[in-house]
Amino acid sequence: MTPPQSSFAKATEDNSPSGGASCRAIARQEIVAAARAWIGTPYRHQASVKGVGCDCLGLVRGVWRALYGAEPEPAPPYRADWAEVCGEERLLDAARRWLVERPLSDLAPGDVVLFRIAPEAAVKHAAIVTATDEGREPRMVHAYWGRAAVESWMGPWWRRRLAARFEFPMAVD
């Protein structure tokens, strides 16, 4: 059995992250602008249509499409329960297949961050970092039940639940 390829190798081996789109350097500010374009999109579980409806994963999926074109794989059905204890890490596993995992320290604009709402729960929330101003809490764009997609502070409550940090393939400063 051959070992799995890294996310970056998978994303670049055919010159495209999604098997067809051109593989080019993506400026972090381009990622941030794409994420901010979703602000105000109403929350709709499992949706990913800018201005119509999205959830946190739908937001990240929509930014992927804006940057690369087609998504690399279809999103499977999933429950909206953030505190779900199921033993499966579907969101985390998918992120590891298509994004580039980085240490939790040194957040940067354009990073995709994943959260575990309870210690025993699966990773079930995603956001895109938009600002990391020195001396201030980072900011992020995310969507969650009861709200539209918003840009908010990643305050202590969110920071305690931070489970993983990823970069989009070919992200540059």
Side-chain angles (χ1 to χ4, degrees):
M1 186 162 129
T2 60
Q5 294 176 298
S6 73
S7 300
F8 184 78
K10 246 188 222 182
T12 58
E13 73 177 358
D14 64 356
N15 288 336
S16 70
S18 61
S22 70
C23 193
R24 62 178 176 84
I26 305 291
R28 288 182 172 279
Q29 288 310 312
E30 184 179 353
I31 299 166
V32 169
R36 285 180 171 153
W38 285 75
I39 292 173
T41 298
Y43 179 86
R44 299 285 183 267
H45 179 62
Q46 294 188 329
S48 184
V49 181
K50 185 169 44 174
V52 176
C54 72
D55 61 8
C56 63
L57 177 57
L59 167 74
V60 174
R61 291 172 48 217
V63 170
W64 178 284
R65 290 190 308 270
L67 300 171
Y68 302 107
E71 295 173 53
E73 66 182 63
Y78 52 91
R79 293 178 32 171
D81 182 3
W82 280 7
E84 182 177 27
V85 178
C86 61
E88 294 181 282
E89 291 285 4
R90 289 189 212 165
L91 180 57
L92 184 59
D93 291 344
R96 286 179 171 150
R97 281 193 298 276
W98 300 107
L99 302 172
V100 182
E101 191 162 14
R102 297 290 185 223
L104 287 176
S105 60
D106 301 324
L107 292 175
D111 284 347
V112 174
V113 288
L114 303 181
F115 299 91
R116 186 180 312 280
I117 302 306
E120 66 284 351
V123 169
K124 291 283 292 221
H125 189 60
I128 296 177
V129 176
T130 55
T132 55
D133 302 329
E134 182 128 352
R136 301 180 82 181
E137 293 289 346
R139 294 185 65 79
M140 63 184 177
V141 171
H142 60 134
Y144 56 100
W145 185 84
R147 307 242 182 208
V150 298
E151 184 170 12
S152 63
W153 295 105
M154 191 189 306
W157 191 90
W158 287 108
R159 297 286 293 232
R160 284 192 305 272
R161 289 158 177 81
L162 187 60
R165 170 186 167 232
F166 295 88
E167 293 177 348
F168 282 97
M170 304 297 292
V172 296
D173 290 329

